[in-house]
Amino acid sequence: MPYDVTGATLRVMTHIPPPAMELQLLDAELHQLDARRAQLLHRRAWLLTVLQPARSAPVAPPLQAVPPRREATAPGVQNLLLVLGGILLALAATAFTLVSWGSMGIAGRALVLGAVTLAALGAPVALLRRGLRSTAESIAGIGLVLTVLDTYALHEVAFPDGNGVSFAAAASAVLAVIWTAYGIGTATLPRPAVTRTDPTTAPASPTLLLPLPAALAVAQLPLILWAIAAGGGPRTITAAVLLTAVIDMVVALRVTPKAVRAVAAGGAFGMGGWGVLAAGLISLDAAGPGAAARAAALFALAAAGAFGAAWLASGRGLRTSTAAAGGLFVVAALGGMLRAATPADWTVPGYLACGIALLALVRGGLPEPLRHGLGWASGIVQASAVLWTLPAVGVTLLGPAAWLSRAWSGAPGDAREAAATDTFWPAHATTTPLILIAVAAVLALSVRAAEWRPRALTAALTLTWAAVLTLPTALQLPYNVGLLVHGGMVMALLALRHRMATMLALVTSLSLACLALAAEPATLAVLASLTAVFAAAAWRGRLAPASAAASLGYATALACAVGASLDWQPQHIALLVLLVPLTAALLAARITDPATTKAVEITGAAAALIAIDLATAELPLLALVLALCGVIVAGTAIRPERRSLGYVAAALFVLAGWVRLGTWNVTDPEAYTLPVTVPALFVGALRRRRDPSATSWTAYGPGLTVTLAPSLLAAWTDPHWTRPLLLGTAALAVTLLGARHRLQAPLVLGGTTLALDALHELAPYLAQVVGALPRWAPPALAGLLLLALGATYEQRIRDARRVREVLGRMN
């Protein structure tokens, strides 16, 4: 509408369209807008449900430019480049010296070498002043290599015909001095003025790290090379090596730089190990006292270095270990001298004596770490000596087992021959008992600490036992003397009130029993003595379970040996062996200790099994042995705590009966089952009388099943009528008894057996009847059966309703 229209004009204007129509148009437009709005809201809700999973899913961040990962650090790249550059320059200098050296004159050679060497050694100084230590280290390494090449060039020009080893010794010494001076000289340079942005970062040290360790590494050669150049033998060279190790040790303990200390420590251990090994070989090869004394001097030098390190070192562990090494070197020196002056059999005792002598220094006024180290050295020597005796002890202890396969083949000449029947006696083992006794005495006398004293005494007892055990074999005493020594040791050990002593007595008795198998009289005497000795020990309570079991075991062996001595057959020997289970059963009833009782019973059971095994050669005697074992077990079952053995006794009786029936060629199963059924039913009746709550299946089920089941199987395969008739009669009687006393087991088992037996007997007639019946008979019978079942079911339902009505009236 134009802006210049006045109000008067508006009042007289005609409305197009009229107001009523315009109102209708507005209403229609608003209605359309509402409908459109509802449609859009519906569409919006649907879009929200569609977009909801997408909104809940994580949105991947936009891709950003990730810088590539750096696989090497800047210092690492710098060091690698410097090392490679130094190596290449060193190789180039070496190639120039070896290849192009001859094409230049004297002046040119000197000028080139001097200029290059001075430049290589001087450049690191300028680089250090600028703070470029890594570059300076690389160039300094090149300079050190050039000095080595200078010495080679000097030898080729000035000393071409001289002794190369002597020149190398002198050159290595000079180089060590020059490199040391060069390294110390660089340490006096002033520190560079470095502007630091980080106040916590210290400026790099201007000292070169390479010259001093390199100088020490070169210093390992002069003494060795001079010894070689002087024409020294192995002893001289070894002395030079040990002296170098001592110098390295002093440097490692007194020098501050870590790199120098590491090189010195490596040199000390490396050269020291080489020198000690060489000294040991020289000492072992020494043919006389003089050579042994010279080898001892080498060990003395090594010991001086080790004791010096123990005195100067600061760490407790290092001081103890070096003192122990020094003590071992002293033992090697003195023991080597004794070895050269004594026979070969006394070599180990000589070293052992020197090791024991170290204990005198342990109680002296030395510092505690040194005393501990010497104590460890003495202990190592003694332990090594004991380990050396183990082969002789093993042959003495285990060698007699070979007589198990050659019993009573004849007594050997001496104890060593008896022990080493199928093996060899170790060389130079004559002094084995002395070594063991000496170590045992040291343990018993030197260990005084309360916590270690019991262990030391136990170890001393074991070593003393081993010494006495090996005494007859080491000294080649007569065979009978060896038996007496072993027997006396068994009795002596049992006399001690110590658990370890009793165990050692048991082990010794086994070896003695095997050793006695060489001769029949010795076997009988030894087994009888061991039986009596261990019985006495068990009676006195010296580890009673083991002693009692051992006594019964040797009694079993004695019974077998007596039977064999009488030329009895094995099945007859079994009757003699049964005396052991009988004795065990009688003793077990009188022993009050549960452990001893169990050990006696187990040993008796083992003897009974041996008797049964011996009797298997003859079935009648086997039956007798089984029956006698059953009697013994039944007697044991009388004791209240052994009631369960009654089943074992019953089983043995049954087995005895079965074996006897087998010898009579009895094949009827009832002969085997009735002896089981009758006692089983009797036991079941007693149980029902004592415990009325016991079921008939528990009381009578096993007994009835044992007879009825085998008899029924036999009846089904028996073509005659006698067995089925008797079985049916017995089953009927069992069924009637079950019905009379209302017992489920007899009723079910007897009835089932009776039905199956009748079915077996009537089977041919039933087959004929079935064949004669018409085809409609089976369906008719099935229908009658279903009718009967239905009537029975209906009757039960009616009875249940009556009961419910009665209960309802009562309420």
Side-chain angles (χ1 to χ4, degrees):
M1 183 178 291
Y3 289 100
D4 55 350
V5 177
T6 61
T9 304
L10 291 174
R11 286 192 298 271
V12 297
M13 288 181 64
T14 302
H15 293 278
I16 299 174
M21 185 177 292
E22 185 177 0
L23 180 61
Q24 293 179 357
L25 294 175
L26 290 176
D27 291 336
E29 188 69 18
L30 289 173
H31 179 71
Q32 292 180 359
L33 289 175
D34 291 336
R36 182 61 178 170
R37 183 174 183 274
Q39 182 181 3
L40 292 175
L41 289 176
H42 180 72
R43 182 67 178 176
R44 180 178 180 275
W46 180 81
L47 291 175
L48 288 175
T49 57
V50 172
L51 295 177
Q52 188 64 31
R55 291 182 179 181
S56 62
V59 180
L63 296 178
Q64 298 179 357
V66 180
R69 184 172 62 89
R70 299 174 183 263
E71 297 182 353
T73 60
V77 174
Q78 165 197 310
N79 294 332
L80 178 61
L81 294 177
L82 292 175
V83 170
L84 289 178
I87 292 174
L88 292 177
L89 287 177
L91 293 176
T94 304
F96 169 78
T97 305
L98 297 177
V99 178
S100 301
W101 182 257
S103 60
M104 302 179 63
I106 298 297
R109 299 171 185 174
L111 181 62
V112 170
L113 279 177
V116 174
T117 303
L118 290 176
L121 295 177
V125 177
L127 294 173
L128 287 174
R129 289 177 178 175
R130 295 180 177 273
L132 303 176
R133 191 175 65 83
S134 298
T135 306
E137 289 282 358
S138 180
I139 297 177
I142 298 173
L144 299 181
V145 174
L146 288 175
T147 55
V148 177
L149 297 178
D150 289 342
T151 57
Y152 171 74
L154 180 63
H155 175 266
E156 292 296 322
V157 173
F159 308 99
D161 298 329
N163 188 350
V165 179
S166 300
F167 182 81
S172 59
V174 173
L175 287 177
V177 174
I178 293 175
W179 292 358
T180 302
Y182 182 67
I184 295 175
T186 56
T188 60
L189 295 176
R191 289 179 177 269
V194 181
T195 302
R196 291 178 290 152
T197 58
D198 188 2
T200 62
T201 304
S205 174
T207 304
L208 293 175
L209 300 179
L210 183 59
L212 291 179
L216 184 59
V218 173
Q220 308 297 312
L221 302 177
L223 292 178
I224 302 174
L225 294 177
W226 274 328
I228 296 174
R235 288 185 293 271
T236 305
I237 298 174
T238 303
V241 171
L242 292 174
L243 185 58
T244 304
V246 172
I247 296 174
D248 290 333
M249 180 270 298
V250 175
V251 173
L253 295 176
R254 292 303 183 187
V255 175
T256 303
K258 294 183 178 180
V260 179
R261 294 176 62 184
V263 174
F269 284 106
M271 291 292 182
W274 177 16
V276 169
L277 180 61
L281 296 176
I282 293 171
S283 178
L284 292 177
D285 292 337
R294 288 188 289 271
L298 297 176
F299 277 116
L301 179 59
F307 285 130
W311 196 273
L312 298 176
S314 56
R316 179 183 179 87
L318 180 61
R319 299 183 68 184
T320 301
S321 59
T322 51
L328 293 176
F329 298 155
V330 171
V331 171
L334 300 177
M337 297 177 63
L338 292 176
R339 185 193 65 82
T342 56
D345 289 342
W346 292 90
T347 298
V348 176
Y351 283 103
L352 178 61
C354 297
I356 295 175
L358 286 179
L359 295 177
L361 300 176
V362 174
R363 301 184 181 277
L366 297 174
E368 184 179 0
L370 273 70
R371 291 190 287 108
H372 285 175
L374 292 175
W376 277 106
S378 178
I380 291 172
V381 173
Q382 296 179 56
S384 301
V386 172
L387 289 177
W388 182 84
T389 64
L390 289 182
V393 176
V395 170
T396 303
L397 185 63
L398 303 177
W403 291 102
L404 291 171
S405 60
R406 56 181 72 179
W408 298 356
S409 59
D414 53 50
R416 182 180 297 183
E417 183 181 350
T421 302
D422 291 343
T423 185
F424 65 93
W425 179 254
H428 309 301
T430 306
T431 56
T432 296
L434 177 62
I435 294 172
L436 295 171
I437 285 292
V439 178
V442 171
L443 287 174
L445 297 176
S446 62
V447 179
R448 296 296 182 182
E451 55 179 347
W452 291 101
R453 181 68 177 173
R455 302 177 186 178
L457 292 178
T458 302
L461 174 63
T462 305
L463 293 175
T464 305
W465 163 79
V468 178
L469 183 73
T470 56
L471 184 63
T473 52
L475 301 181
Q476 291 183 296
L477 298 178
Y479 171 70
N480 293 330
V481 175
L483 294 178
L484 292 176
V485 170
H486 282 65
M489 184 166 52
V490 170
M491 290 187 291
L493 289 171
L494 290 176
L496 298 176
R497 294 183 177 274
H498 196 276
R499 181 178 296 271
M500 178 57 69
T502 306
M503 299 305 296
L504 294 177
L506 291 172
V507 174
T508 308
S509 66
L510 291 175
S511 179
L512 174 59
C514 294
L515 196 64
L517 291 175
E520 179 180 347
T523 302
L524 298 175
V526 167
L527 292 178
S529 301
L530 291 177
T531 302
V533 167
F534 279 103
W539 187 263
R540 294 184 179 182
R542 307 276 171 75
L543 201 61
S547 299
S551 178
L552 292 175
Y554 288 125
T556 304
L558 177 62
C560 295
V562 170
S565 178
L566 297 175
D567 293 332
W568 287 4
Q569 295 298 321
Q571 59 271 20
H572 300 139
I573 298 176
L575 298 175
L576 188 60
V577 173
L578 282 180
L579 294 176
V580 177
L582 177 60
T583 305
L586 296 176
L587 290 175
R590 299 176 60 88
I591 298 174
T592 57
D593 182 27
T596 306
T597 302
K598 185 177 295 185
V600 168
E601 291 177 344
I602 292 175
T603 309
L609 292 177
I610 294 174
I612 293 173
D613 181 68
L614 291 173
T616 53
E618 188 174 341
L619 291 181
L621 277 177
L622 177 60
L624 178 60
V625 169
L626 289 172
L628 292 177
C629 290
V631 172
I632 296 173
V633 176
T636 305
I638 297 176
R639 292 156 46 195
E641 69 276 10
R642 294 292 185 266
R643 295 295 188 189
S644 59
L645 292 179
Y647 299 102
V648 179
L652 289 173
F653 286 129
V654 170
L655 289 176
W658 287 357
V659 171
R660 175 56 66 178
L661 291 174
T663 59
W664 292 338
N665 297 323
V666 177
T667 58
D668 294 330
E670 291 80 8
Y672 295 90
T673 57
L674 286 177
V676 179
T677 297
V678 174
L681 294 177
F682 178 73
V683 172
L686 291 179
R687 181 172 182 179
R688 288 269 299 177
R689 179 175 297 179
R690 295 178 181 178
D691 184 13
S693 63
T695 64
S696 62
W697 289 104
T698 304
Y700 306 116
L704 293 175
T705 304
V706 167
T707 295
L708 293 178
S711 298
L712 181 62
L713 294 176
W716 273 74
T717 59
D718 193 349
H720 304 287
W721 59 271
T722 307
R723 184 188 301 275
L725 178 61
L726 295 177
L727 177 61
T729 304
L732 178 61
V734 170
T735 304
L736 294 177
L737 288 175
R740 171 68 178 81
H741 298 283
R742 298 181 181 180
L743 299 176
Q744 190 178 35
L747 188 62
V748 172
L749 294 176
T752 303
T753 304
L754 180 61
L756 292 176
D757 185 66
L759 179 64
H760 172 264
E761 291 301 310
L762 299 177
Y765 304 102
L766 292 176
Q768 293 178 3
V769 172
V770 171
L773 288 175
R775 293 182 178 272
W776 54 263
L781 293 176
L784 291 175
L785 177 63
L786 292 177
L787 289 176
L789 291 175
T792 304
Y793 186 71
E794 182 181 7
Q795 180 67 31
R796 291 182 178 180
I797 292 176
R798 187 170 55 186
D799 294 342
R801 288 177 180 175
R802 290 178 179 177
V803 171
R804 186 177 60 185
E805 291 175 359
V806 171
L807 293 176
R809 288 193 299 268
M810 292 175 64
N811 292 332

